[in-house]
């Protein structure tokens, strides 16, 4: 095992949240090391985001109105203070990214072009090229990171564990580098986790399959509190053409008038013009039910978009055409697929977790702004806004003591991972019940017995056990055996009583 001492914050992950943190930490004068398992722009959800970034950017909108919409979507579990911190900085965040070169769509007067998405009371989603926001925004921020002399990037390093000192403070990380996976111990003044979500735990997902909730699991092993892990958002319009991950048909299509229909052409959610713009959990269940009943589910954009498809929504159009489907003349077959993890490592608006020295930002964090159901296009805003704040806070950290001996857990073999993913989609997906979740716990127990305590298994266990323990339906969590929503909204808070000691794997 090699050892590296880095005199500054270590950022794990190179999506929008991690790179925003890195840039602001460097601006504050810190030397920053960013580690990520793939080259920049690869294998991160930020680059795949289509819809755009929600913010109060027009005269008819306000930060207060944005906060109200966020709270309404979150089904009682949104934290008001964190949400205000998010929405009040919306315009500043969009303008910061624009100044870095993010080419947001503009109107003739130079203002931001905004679109309407589900559960927003007003059009407020800033877009890039119709459906290319994520990659365009991330491309701009990657260029800024590459130009910043205080930032060093390792693009061949995968997180395997967190280092703590005798007081329990996080003082670095253990990473596996290169094709051989040689372990490297990095000590740092602070660690910022920006490891993304957990979509790779599900067979039907719109996110990079490499994102398996391992950052959350390793933070839990380091003693961090995990908040609301059962709340997983399923996007109702993943394009069902047999690909893994599934291409996404952005919600903006429905904002422009595309309609969800079954195989006979009947509307899935009703005939009203805005029927398909309900919160994502409602629409996802309608799509799931239509498919389960054999009726099929399709997104019909022939009238609403039609011949404008290639230039209005080029990414969706290209994905359809690659699959041999022309959305100008045929409805798009869709399914509900894992899209976003609302739960994660409990963190405040500055990214601080319950463990000193450890920060968490982006999808791996749970700041309370998404509650039980994330409002569309709030994720990129949260990643950049709270990522920046965490960078400033992490730059001020002075570090801790000598790290205790490092440990790393095993990886799950491909065959076992495929079995886990299938089980998660079948039993912890859009509709859940006690029998299915109990079956999943048994599956996780068996896989752990066969292959050891892999971080992906712990991440799955955190999600499934919390889903089993929540005897109600709320937001993205729907229990067929407990379909009602409890009168009181209560968070799930998990801390491992005695974090497992993982075997060292060299």
């Amino acid at each position: 095992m090699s050892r590296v001492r880095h005199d500054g914050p270590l950022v794990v992950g190179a999506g929008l949240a991690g790179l925003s943190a890195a840039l602001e930490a460097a601006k504050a004068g810190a030397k920053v090391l960013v580690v990520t398992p793939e080259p920049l722009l690869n294998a991160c959800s930020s680059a795949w985001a289509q819809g755009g970034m929600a913010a109060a950017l027009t005269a008819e909108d306000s930060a207060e109105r944005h906060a109200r919409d966020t709270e309404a979507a979150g089904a009682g579990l949104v934290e008001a203070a964190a949400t205000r911190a998010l929405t009040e900085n919306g315009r500043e965040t969009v303008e910061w990214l624009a100044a870095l070169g993010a080419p947001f769509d503009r109107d003739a007067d130079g203002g931001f072009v905004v679109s309407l998405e589900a559960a927003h009371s007003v059009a407020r989603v800033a877009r890039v090229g119709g459906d290319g926001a994520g990659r365009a925004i991330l491309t701009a921020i990657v260029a800024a990171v590459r130009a910043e002399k205080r930032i060093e990037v390792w693009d061949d390093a995968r997180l395997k564990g967190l280092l703590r000192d005798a007081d329990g403070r996080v003082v670095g990380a253990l990473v596996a580098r290169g094709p051989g996976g040689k372990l490297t111990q990095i000590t740092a003044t602070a660690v910022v986790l920006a490891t993304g979500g957990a979509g790779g735990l599900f067979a039907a997902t719109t996110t990079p399959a490499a994102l398996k909730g391992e950052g959350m699991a390793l933070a839990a092993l380091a003693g961090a509190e995990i908040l609301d892990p059962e709340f997983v958002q399923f996007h109702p319009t993943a394009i069902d053409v047999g690909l893994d991950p599934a291409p996404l048909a952005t919600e903006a299509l429905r904002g422009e008038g595309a309609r969800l229909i079954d195989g006979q052409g009947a509307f899935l959610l009703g005939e009203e013009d805005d029927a398909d713009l309900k919160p994502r959990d409602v629409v996802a269940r309608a799509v799931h039910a239509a498919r389960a009943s054999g009726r099929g589910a399709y997104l019909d954009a022939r009238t609403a978009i039609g011949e404008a498809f290639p230039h209005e929504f080029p990414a969706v159009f290209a994905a359809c055409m690659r699959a041999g489907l022309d959305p100008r003349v045929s409805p798009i077959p869709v399914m509900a697929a894992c899209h976003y993890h609302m739960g994660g490592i409990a963190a405040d608006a500055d990214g601080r977790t319950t463990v000193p020295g450890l920060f968490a930002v982006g999808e791996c964090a749970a700041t309370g702004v998404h509650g039980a159901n994330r409002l569309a296009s709030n994720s990129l805003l949260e990643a950049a806004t709270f990522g920046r704040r965490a960078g400033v806070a992490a730059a001020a950290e002075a570090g801790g003591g000598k790290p205790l001996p490092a440990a790393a857990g095993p990886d799950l073999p491909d065959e076992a991972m495929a079995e886990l993913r299938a089980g998660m989609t079948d039993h912890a997906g859009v509709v859940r019940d006690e029998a299915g979740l109990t079956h999943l716990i048994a599956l996780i127990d068996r896989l752990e017995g066969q292959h050891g305590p892999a971080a992906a298994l712990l991440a799955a266990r955190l999600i499934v056990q919390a889903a089993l323990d929540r005897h109600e339906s709320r937001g993205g969590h729907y229990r067929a055996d407990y379909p009602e929503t409890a009168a009181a909204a209560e968070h799930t808070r998990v801390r491992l009583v005695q974090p497992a000691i993982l075997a060292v794997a060299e």
Side-chain angles (χ1 to χ4, degrees):
M1 183 189 303
S2 60
R3 289 173 172 79
V4 173
R5 179 175 180 80
H6 174 67
D7 186 21
L10 169 67
V11 177
V12 184
L16 181 58
L19 296 186
S20 295
L23 280 175
E24 289 297 307
K27 182 181 176 183
K31 292 197 313 184
V32 184
L33 175 59
V34 176
V35 299
T36 177
E38 299 270 356
L40 299 185
L41 288 173
N42 285 9
C44 64
S45 294
S46 301
W48 293 17
Q50 291 179 352
M53 182 173 286
L57 298 168
T58 60
E60 61 264 35
D61 201 3
S62 67
E64 293 75 19
R65 187 170 184 172
H66 187 184
R68 287 197 301 271
D69 288 350
T70 298
E71 291 176 13
L77 290 178
V78 169
E79 295 297 321
T83 302
R84 285 196 304 272
L86 179 72
T87 62
E88 288 172 1
N89 287 284
R91 173 175 280 278
E92 180 191 348
T93 299
V94 173
E95 290 180 341
W96 176 71
L97 290 166
L100 289 177
F104 290 101
D105 296 345
R106 304 280 190 158
D107 59 26
D109 297 323
F112 294 101
V113 173
V114 292
S115 62
L116 178 66
E117 293 189 1
H120 290 270
S121 61
V122 64
R124 66 161 65 92
V125 180
R127 291 160 56 180
V128 180
D131 59 4
R135 178 158 288 273
I137 291 169
L138 200 61
T139 297
I141 204 167
V142 163
V145 164
R146 285 175 170 152
E148 174 54 66
K149 293 181 174 58
R150 293 190 184 93
I151 300 176
E152 180 182 359
V153 178
W154 293 359
D155 63 6
D156 63 348
R158 180 178 161 219
L159 181 68
K160 294 293 291 179
L162 293 169
L163 306 178
R164 289 177 292 167
D165 65 13
D167 295 325
R169 179 186 182 87
V170 167
V171 293
L174 188 65
V175 302
R177 293 196 72 185
K182 180 175 174 58
L183 288 180
T184 299
Q185 178 180 293
I186 308 167
T187 55
T189 56
V191 174
V192 181
L193 291 182
T195 52
L201 293 176
F202 294 79
T205 183
T206 65
T207 76
L211 303 180
K212 300 189 285 275
E214 291 168 311
M216 174 180 71
L218 295 173
L221 289 172
E225 180 178 276
I226 306 302
L227 179 70
D228 296 337
E230 66 270 38
F231 290 110
V232 178
Q233 186 170 77
F234 298 90
H235 200 292
T237 55
I239 302 174
D240 184 18
V241 287
L243 296 178
D244 178 24
L248 183 66
T250 174
E251 198 154 285
L253 287 162
R254 281 176 284 135
E256 294 294 323
R259 300 302 304 268
L260 284 162
I261 59 173
D262 65 15
Q264 301 301 313
F267 292 125
L268 294 191
L269 290 112
E271 297 187 6
E272 299 83 4
D273 289 345
D274 62 350
D276 294 346
L277 294 179
K278 293 180 173 67
R280 281 182 176 169
D281 62 299
V282 176
V283 183
R285 285 195 296 277
V287 168
H288 178 81
R291 287 167 53 86
S293 68
R295 293 158 53 212
Y298 301 85
L299 183 65
D300 186 359
R302 293 174 295 180
T303 300
I305 314 297
E307 293 303 315
F309 229 121
H311 62 269
E312 290 291 335
F313 296 96
V316 178
F317 182 74
C320 289
M321 294 296 283
R322 280 196 299 271
L325 175 73
D326 188 340
R328 295 170 297 187
V329 298
S330 301
I332 305 167
V334 294
M335 63 178 176
C338 178
H339 184 62
Y340 191 87
H341 193 196
M342 274 84 68
I345 307 160
D348 65 15
D350 292 323
R352 294 187 187 279
T353 72
T354 57
V355 176
L358 181 66
F359 296 76
V361 291
E363 195 174 347
C364 73
T367 61
V369 299
H370 303 310
N373 195 31
R374 176 179 66 89
L375 184 64
S377 291
N378 266 358
S379 51
L380 290 181
L381 179 67
E382 183 202 21
T385 302
F386 291 168
R388 295 179 71 196
R389 292 174 62 131
V392 173
E397 295 286 318
K402 182 180 178 181
L404 298 175
D411 289 328
L412 206 56
D414 290 345
E415 186 175 326
M417 192 70 226
E419 189 176 1
L420 176 65
R421 294 181 73 196
M424 290 292 284
T425 284
D426 288 345
H427 301 300
V430 178
V431 177
R432 304 162 169 180
D433 61 28
E434 182 177 4
L437 294 167
T438 302
H439 172 83
L440 258 182
I441 290 291
L443 171 63
I444 293 167
D445 287 343
R446 175 169 62 78
L447 292 176
E448 189 170 291
Q450 292 171 339
H451 306 291
L457 289 174
L458 176 55
R461 187 184 297 279
L462 287 165
I463 293 169
V464 174
Q465 188 63 56
L468 188 59
D469 293 343
R470 184 172 286 276
H471 294 170
E472 64 162 346
S473 292
R474 183 181 297 275
H477 167 76
Y478 185 81
R479 286 281 299 263
D481 46 353
Y482 292 97
E484 301 301 318
T485 300
E490 296 183 0
H491 288 291
T492 297
R493 298 184 185 276
V494 182
R495 282 200 187 183
L496 301 187
V497 178
Q498 289 185 315
I501 303 300
L502 301 179
V504 174
E506 297 256 16

